[in-house]
Amino acid sequence: MSNTEAHTEADDSLARNEILTDNEIIRTVIAEDDDGDDVTPVNPVKISHSEAVVALNTSLQWAEEQNFEAHENMLLRRLRDRAFE
């Protein structure tokens, strides 16, 4: 593509697109964010302490079977112990 063709293409592109100021861009983005009708609110599921302990015990057993490093297993143990509290 020659320089002339590139400039012509750029000019055509600018002619097709609206040029906005910084404030207009910000207002446009904020307006688009306010259209969040397609967002479904998430209702988090409450997990009991006993369910957490069971999950962490399973994770710890799996980690030990996979020969994870000691500090990684200790982290899972600490998390499990906190779930007991």
Side-chain angles (χ1 to χ4, degrees), residues 53-71:
V53 169
V54 169
L56 288 163
N57 276 333
T58 302
S59 299
L60 181 58
Q61 182 181 355
W62 176 80
E64 289 171 345
E65 290 172 0
Q66 301 302 313
N67 296 318
F68 276 28
E69 293 185 24
H71 71 275

Side-chain angles (χ1 to χ4, degrees), residues 29-41:
V29 169
I30 290 171
E32 288 174 359
D33 286 348
D34 289 343
D35 281 348
D37 296 338
D38 59 342
V39 177
T40 305

Side-chain angles (χ1 to χ4, degrees), residues 17-84:
N17 295 317
E18 181 181 0
I19 297 177
L20 302 174
T21 65
D22 289 345
N23 288 335
E24 290 170 329
I25 293 170
I26 292 169
R27 279 195 297 271
T28 302
V29 169
I30 290 171
E32 288 174 359
D33 286 348
D34 289 343
D35 281 348
D37 296 338
D38 59 342
V39 177
T40 305
V42 176
N43 295 326
V45 176
K46 289 287 186 178
I47 299 172
S48 70
H49 294 286
S50 60
E51 289 174 313
V53 169
V54 169
L56 288 163
N57 276 333
T58 302
S59 299
L60 181 58
Q61 182 181 355
W62 176 80
E64 289 171 345
E65 290 172 0
Q66 301 302 313
N67 296 318
F68 276 28
E69 293 185 24
H71 71 275
E72 295 169 320
N73 292 336
M74 289 175 64
L75 173 63
L76 288 170
R77 282 191 187 97
R78 280 198 341 232
L79 289 171
R80 181 195 58 194
D81 293 346
R82 287 194 61 191
F84 272 124

